[in-house]
């Protein structure tokens, strides 16, 4: 019974990797939308978009790590 619940927990933790991909898509989609509306401000906002994407990917990697640890435990 515990092994099955470990696998369920690992699967639920792995959902975070997909959520990170969705988050990165939203970040860059909104950046492109803002850059098209105001091209002069696009250069100053690109760094913020990269930092946001890096944080989202970091959370995705953390979720993947937790899933792997739950699976191997």
């Amino acid at each position: 019974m515990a092994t099955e619940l470990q696998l369920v927990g690992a699967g639920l933790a792995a959902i975070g990797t997909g959520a990170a991909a969705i988050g990165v898509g939203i970040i860059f989609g909104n950046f492109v939308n803002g850059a098209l509306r105001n091209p002069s401000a696009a250069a100053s906002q690109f760094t913020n978009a990269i930092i946001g994407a890096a944080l989202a990917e970091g959370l995705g990697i953390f979720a993947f790590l937790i899933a792997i640890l739950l699976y191997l435990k």
Side-chain angles (χ1 to χ4, degrees):
M1 179 74 172
T3 304
E4 292 86 7
L5 293 178
Q6 270 184 308
L7 295 176
V8 169
L12 290 174
I15 291 174
T17 59
I22 291 170
V24 170
I26 290 172
I27 288 169
F28 281 109
N30 287 334
F31 169 73
V32 169
N33 190 17
L36 290 175
R37 288 177 183 254
N38 189 1
S40 63
S44 64
Q45 294 301 317
F46 184 71
T47 304
N48 293 339
I50 293 295
I51 290 172
L55 290 174
E57 283 296 324
L59 289 175
I61 291 170
F62 181 70
F64 180 70
L65 176 67
I66 295 299
I68 293 296
L69 289 175
L70 286 173
Y71 181 72
L72 296 177
K73 186 175 179 186

